[in-house]
Amino acid sequence: MTTPIGLPIGDIQHALWIANLPTDALQHWHTPDINLVVITDRRPHALSRLFASAERSHYLGDKVNLVVNLEQSSDRTTRMLVNSFSWRHGDKVLRHRIRKGGLMPAIIESWYPKGDDDYAVILEDDVEVSPLFYVWAKYSILQYRYHRMGNPELEEFRKRLYGVSLYSPRNLELHPAGRRPFHPDNVLLNMYPPRMPYVSQVPCSWGAVYFPEHWREFHEYLTIRLMDLNQDRRLNVTVPNSRSARWKKSWKKYYIELVFLRAYVMLYPNFQEFESFSTNHLETGTHVKSTTKRMSAISSFLVPLMQRDTILSQLPNQRLPDYAGLPVLDLWGYLQTHDTLDETAAEWHAQVSACKRRPGHYDPQDILCPFETPPPAEPVRPKRVKFKYAIEPLEYVYTTRKDVVYDPDLDGPKAIDVATMSSEPDDGSILWDDADIDFIRGLPWTNQLYNPVVSFDQRRDDLQDLLRADAELDFD
């Protein structure tokens, strides 16, 4: 079967890996439908930077649609920017919420796959992407989603891959004691060649491609989990020794539960000096005016974007390795195997669910089985008590109202501006993501390792000022 592939002249140099693709994967060149899904509120300057970086990226001649999800409180400038932005790589779709939902529904409801070949690059507006992010995403998807390995056991392992990260993390956030610095070389170099990509259970929220089967499963899982939390609270799904157990409003808390109980993993890049295909910016606000303070605060997690295409030259053997050869890391950054992750998941499944475990079907019902509890005892009926009622007479007091002067300039009607309204979501939940709160509390320790010259107190104050200002821009 012949698969015609047409590449723009300027993109040929970024698709040399085609020669290394297995034949069955190459035949699916036109199968993946990869779309950009952007979540924004009221940060037009950050959104403009994201749009500019995405616009100048290489899309290998593919049609790539842009879906922009606007929060209810998005301001006029943001709406004007989104409406006027011209996207030449595909269709532009705009969605605007009419009720404030907070960050969790903003992320989760931003995309629902229409089929098993539908993929989403989920990007918050403070993310910036490398010109080569789509090249990395498509190469990884073709290599690990459309190449059949022939071995049934390896095929089961491959089905556990739930996404492709664009970001190279410099920290681990799930240790119970708090955030810890992380470098893949410290874990992999004794057993793997340099620049070896790896798979990890940790979901990435700073730029990543999510796969359709796993995202649909997560939608159903989260729907039932939240319904139970608001009603009977019969489910007791947790992840042992994970800091995410403290979080209440972060979507990653629930995704971490699912990937832990399913032994799912995400592919991560591992290039020199944490070179990545996405990075995250913290924006200065009214309380942070110094560029020096801002750069000091974000230096521990800002990573360089790959500008020059060195993907093949840095990869071992100038190609993506076979899936079976990828290193496997758990939620805490320890080297494991797919078998040990699955064994751990099976053992913990028995602690949290009464149903038999059924992995591989992308159906979370087997996880969401509460253990039977004895019916509550009959309530004790209180004794009847006789009451005597007394009615006191009401005394009415009348006052005369003075004439009121009506000033149409001061008292006349005014238009409502949603950008100035309260940002409290309708369900009463807090808007601060618990993962972000942990991020603030843990950064004094992280910054000490990356920048020992600046004092603890100064770094902590700088970053807290910065994130609060950033939150004000998002959720005031």
Side-chain angles (χ1 to χ4, degrees):
M1 177 179 177
T2 302
T3 302
I5 298 175
L7 293 171
I9 293 178
D11 287 356
I12 293 176
Q13 60 181 321
H14 305 301
L16 300 180
W17 41 267
I18 287 178
N20 298 325
L21 275 180
T23 303
D24 55 349
L26 191 59
Q27 290 174 346
H28 285 278
W29 178 268
H30 301 291
T31 301
D33 185 9
I34 307 172
N35 297 308
L36 307 189
V37 178
V38 174
I39 297 94
T40 188
D41 189 357
R42 56 177 84 170
R43 293 193 291 201
H45 53 295
L47 182 62
S48 177
R49 179 182 54 222
L50 172 59
F51 280 169
S53 65
E55 176 64 24
R56 61 175 176 261
S57 296
H58 302 281
Y59 294 98
L60 307 176
D62 292 349
K63 178 183 178 181
V64 178
N65 297 328
L66 173 67
V67 182
V68 183
N69 295 272
L70 292 148
E71 183 55 276
Q72 174 247 11
S73 54
S74 59
D75 58 13
R76 187 184 304 273
T77 305
T78 301
R79 296 195 300 269
M80 289 177 61
L81 169 65
V82 171
N83 286 328
S84 62
F85 178 67
S86 178
W87 178 250
R88 59 188 176 89
H89 304 286
D91 297 333
K92 183 180 73 172
V93 180
L94 307 184
R95 296 171 180 164
H96 180 248
R97 296 181 65 92
I98 61 170
R99 301 182 70 182
K100 186 76 174 183
L103 188 58
M104 185 189 296
I107 298 289
I108 305 306
E109 296 175 6
S110 66
W111 172 65
Y112 193 80
K114 61 181 179 290
D116 290 347
D117 299 307
D118 189 22
Y119 303 86
V121 183
I122 298 180
L123 303 166
E124 295 183 47
D125 56 11
D126 55 355
V127 169
E128 181 181 7
V129 295
S130 155
L132 300 161
F133 85 93
Y134 187 85
V135 175
W136 164 256
K138 180 151 187 175
Y139 184 18
S140 302
I141 288 172
L142 290 173
Q143 176 73 28
Y144 297 129
R145 287 274 291 179
Y146 294 98
H147 170 48
R148 297 295 178 260
M149 294 178 285
N151 185 314
E153 183 179 16
L154 294 180
E155 283 296 315
E156 285 301 312
F157 292 161
R158 186 186 58 82
K159 289 170 63 176
R160 297 176 192 169
L161 184 68
Y162 68 86
V164 177
S165 174
L166 309 178
Y167 179 80
S168 301
R170 300 178 63 183
N171 302 283
L172 298 169
E173 60 182 349
L174 297 178
H175 283 273
R179 192 175 294 265
R180 292 291 181 266
F182 169 75
H183 199 300
D185 288 353
N186 296 334
V187 182
L188 307 179
L189 269 187
N190 291 334
M191 301 181 64
Y192 295 92
R195 312 283 73 82
M196 186 73 165
Y198 60 93
V199 294
S200 168
Q201 289 192 285
V202 179
C204 177
S205 59
W206 284 358
V209 186
Y210 282 87
F211 293 172
E213 302 94 334
H214 311 80
W215 193 258
R216 280 197 299 265
E217 182 181 13
F218 178 52
H219 255 249
E220 184 173 357
Y221 175 81
L222 184 59
T223 300
I224 298 174
R225 281 283 279 124
L226 295 181
M227 288 178 61
D228 178 72
L229 286 173
N230 292 327
Q231 297 177 7
D232 301 330
R233 292 182 175 264
R234 299 176 63 201
L235 296 172
N236 186 31
V237 183
T238 59
V239 176
N241 301 316
S242 174
R243 195 172 184 81
S244 62
R246 308 180 187 184
W247 305 340
K248 304 298 181 184
K249 304 297 179 181
S250 174
W251 68 273
K252 288 175 64 177
K253 165 191 170 74
Y254 301 102
Y255 211 112
I256 288 168
E257 291 175 355
L258 180 64
V259 300
F260 181 75
L261 289 165
R262 286 289 191 245
Y264 288 161
V265 291
M266 172 174 270
L267 178 70
Y268 277 83
N270 179 21
F271 297 105
Q272 60 184 356
E273 302 299 328
F274 295 96
E275 199 173 27
S276 300
F277 302 98
S278 69
T279 191
N280 185 282
H281 295 270
L282 289 177
E283 308 302 330
T284 53
T286 57
H287 300 297
V288 180
K289 302 182 183 297
S290 169
T291 303
T292 303
K293 290 174 65 176
R294 176 174 180 269
M295 296 309 297
S296 173
I298 67 175
S299 60
S300 63
F301 61 89
L302 190 67
V303 295
L305 292 173
M306 182 179 287
Q307 302 294 337
R308 188 170 60 90
D309 191 348
T310 59
I311 296 176
L312 292 182
S313 63
Q314 291 196 60
L315 286 173
N317 300 318
Q318 289 73 55
R319 61 189 301 167
L320 280 173
D322 292 338
Y323 188 76
L326 291 171
V328 181
L329 274 60
D330 63 16
L331 290 171
W332 302 273
Y334 298 121
L335 199 59
Q336 305 286 353
T337 66
H338 288 288
D339 283 329
T340 56
L341 290 184
D342 193 56
E343 291 167 5
T344 302
E347 291 174 2
W348 193 246
H349 178 96
Q351 304 295 317
V352 301
S353 176
C355 289
K356 181 181 178 181
R357 185 168 180 258
R358 297 182 65 252
H361 297 279
Y362 308 115
D363 183 348
Q365 292 294 330
D366 61 304
I367 301 176
L368 301 165
C369 294
F371 292 99
E372 292 296 329
T373 56
E378 284 290 328
V380 178
R381 301 183 66 180
K383 296 181 179 179
R384 302 183 67 179
V385 179
K386 293 183 178 181
F387 293 93
K388 293 184 178 180
Y389 299 92
I391 301 177
E392 296 183 359
L394 299 177
E395 181 180 354
Y396 295 92
V397 178
Y398 297 91
T399 61
T400 302
R401 183 182 176 188
K402 296 181 179 180
D403 292 337
V404 177
V405 178
Y406 175 77
D407 186 340
D409 292 331
L410 298 177
D411 304 318
K414 295 181 177 62
I416 295 175
D417 184 358
V418 295
T420 64
M421 297 172 65
S422 170
S423 293
E424 288 299 318
D426 296 300
D427 62 359
S429 64
I430 61 172
L431 289 170
W432 270 86
D433 191 308
D434 304 270
D436 292 335
I437 294 174
D438 264 0
F439 177 69
I440 294 175
R441 293 171 178 166
L443 262 161
W445 163 254
T446 307
N447 280 341
Q448 182 197 20
L449 297 172
Y450 290 112
N451 187 9
V453 177
V454 184
S455 68
F456 270 174
D457 292 339
Q458 185 62 51
R459 273 189 303 273
R460 180 192 60 217
D461 295 343
D462 289 355
L463 187 69
Q464 288 179 344
D465 284 351
L466 179 59
L467 290 186
R468 285 174 184 141
D470 190 55
E472 287 176 8
L473 291 174
D474 279 336
F475 303 123
D476 275 354

